[in-house]
Amino acid sequence: MHFVTLKNGSLGAVVENQLVELEAASIALDIRLPCANMWGLLDGSPQLRSDIEAIAMQAYEQHIACVNYASQLVGSPLPYLRRNVFCIGKNYADHAAEIAGKMGISADLPKYPIVFTKATNTLIGPLDTIPLHAGITRKIDYEAELALVVGKAGVNITKADAWSHIFGFSCYNDVSARDLQKRHSQWHLGKSLDGFGPMGPAITPTYGKPISGNTRVTCHVNGQPRQDAALAQMIFDIPTIIETLSKGITLQVGDVIATGTPAGVGMGFDPMRLLAPGDKIEVAIDGTLPLINQMALA
């Protein structure tokens, strides 16, 4: 089951390619819906989530308030971010190698996770247009990533407990302005332009269990394959990331953690294959719904 946010801001669920509008389903079934939106779901208890899943399954089985899933019916699963997205840089060895020469940085693998953030203004949803920001940047790149959504707050979380703090995962595109990234000798400005954080279309619960290392993250641009890697290829695995981020910093419910991108980004090619007006980018991760966005037209 996947949880989504409908265009009207209400909570939905996708079951076997059927989109269940939960508010309408609960009315038709004469069952009280325990929360109205995604933030209510994240802030609620595991029992609340189970109750909502039961409503979704009953509606699906009786085909009540169901339509065939289409990404144009949903927005970003999180209507807004409560604080910046935590991001992990250079977390796949092949990606670290491909960007080293292009950005004039060390090709050595990091000894500790490299952490930066993207501002809250970056968030957009599926099929939303990624702005060109003409006059500000001329080198826009894609980065397909698995994003985690925190479901239980915590500080100083151990690796053994890491998965119990995760609500679920989603597709994420860490869109980057490479010229700004290089010019300012840090990553925040080049990563934080408006609309540079497409996410969704769903949050898929993990139920406290690890995501398989065989899970693949892929990216296609205009239908052409660009990125393809398994989570097992990460330098720092998800428990290590959670442990590192939570050392002295309380992870809060709804925090988004982008876990790094594999090799195959546009700047890694020779010549570079950066994004152009009208390009369509699809990020896909095994087990959840794919994320599609298009660059704005010139």
Side-chain angles (χ1 to χ4, degrees), residues 138-161:
R138 298 178 62 186
K139 295 183 177 180
I140 301 177
D141 208 348
Y142 55 87
E143 293 192 7
E145 307 199 15
L146 179 142
L148 302 168
V149 180
V150 174
K152 183 174 72 173
V155 65
N156 301 327
I157 300 167
T158 65
K159 292 180 185 180
D161 290 336

